[in-house]
Amino acid sequence: MMAAEHDEQLDREGQLADCRRSTRYHIYRMRFFQLLAKIASAVSLAAGTTAAGSLLASGPAWLPLWASGTVVAAQVIELVVQASQKATLHRSLADAFITLEREIVRAGAAFDPIRVQDQMLEIEMREPPVYRALDIMAHNEVAFASNRQGDACEVRLHERLLAHFIAFASVDWEARRLPENG
């Protein structure tokens, strides 16, 4: 294989890995926001039912106020976070990266890394800020699936637990590379 062909193959593999990582990242975010929206709806339904039931039955005077307040709090959280809309956004971004991955795979000899990079940047313009720990988790999944364990990085338990809430942008991920055999 000539040097230019080798570089093109590396470009293709790198761009495929980027598409796969981005797809996984956005699917993680979509699932998180779907879960958040379902929890807000379930809390509202349960608290609303409790409020209505306690108004009709004899119960503590504070119960309808507590239940009504819970409904309001759950709906305010949904209104502020807009979990349903964010889930839809991340679904459309995942779909765009899947479509781009298909184009890279289908391109064959007509593969154009500059055009692919342009399309990738166009998709990324629509992305909200990235939560880095979650992005590294998606990167690790792609690295292990591609038998490139040396590309993976350690993500600590607290980072996994808080990956949807804190960006962890200041972490030196390069210093946390896993051993090649690890």
Side-chain angles (χ1 to χ4, degrees):
M1 184 179 299
M2 294 174 45
E5 291 173 353
H6 181 71
D7 289 345
E8 183 177 300
Q9 186 64 27
L10 289 176
D11 282 347
R12 173 179 283 193
E13 293 305 315
Q15 288 178 326
L16 278 170
D18 287 346
C19 284
R20 291 171 180 153
R21 183 200 75 243
S22 294
T23 298
R24 283 170 172 78
Y25 172 85
H26 289 295
I27 289 173
Y28 293 159
R29 292 296 282 167
M30 176 196 70
R31 289 178 181 161
F32 169 75
F33 286 117
Q34 285 175 335
L35 178 64
L36 198 59
K38 286 178 184 177
I39 288 171
S41 293
V43 166
S44 292
L45 179 63
T49 303
T50 302
S54 64
L55 288 173
L56 297 174
S58 61
W62 57 266
L63 188 58
L65 292 174
W66 175 84
S68 299
T70 303
V71 170
V72 170
Q75 290 306 304
V76 165
I77 290 170
E78 171 60 27
L79 183 64
V80 170
V81 174
Q82 298 178 333
S84 299
Q85 290 176 347
K86 288 182 180 177
T88 301
L89 170 65
H90 286 285
R91 175 76 256 173
S92 73
L93 290 167
D95 289 345
F97 280 111
I98 290 169
T99 300
L100 183 56
E101 180 183 349
R102 290 178 65 209
E103 289 178 22
I104 294 169
V105 170
R106 288 179 177 173
F111 173 71
D112 180 359
I114 293 171
R115 186 182 66 74
V116 170
Q117 185 65 33
D118 181 57
Q119 288 179 288
M120 199 171 290
L121 290 171
E122 195 169 308
I123 297 168
E124 290 173 354
M125 285 188 331
R126 298 184 359 230
E127 285 184 310
V130 172
Y131 285 76
R132 195 69 177 128
L134 193 63
D135 188 46
I136 294 295
M137 290 164 56
H139 166 83
N140 287 349
E141 196 175 305
V142 171
F144 283 106
S146 304
N147 200 25
R148 294 187 342 256
Q149 290 81 352
D151 287 348
C153 299
E154 175 191 9
V155 181
R156 297 180 180 143
L157 179 61
H158 73 281
E159 293 162 343
R160 288 180 179 281
L161 296 174
L162 299 172
H164 285 283
F165 303 101
I166 299 175
F168 293 107
S170 63
V171 173
D172 181 6
W173 296 102
E174 285 300 317
R176 293 205 197 161
R177 289 265 181 217
L178 296 178
E180 193 68 38
N181 296 333

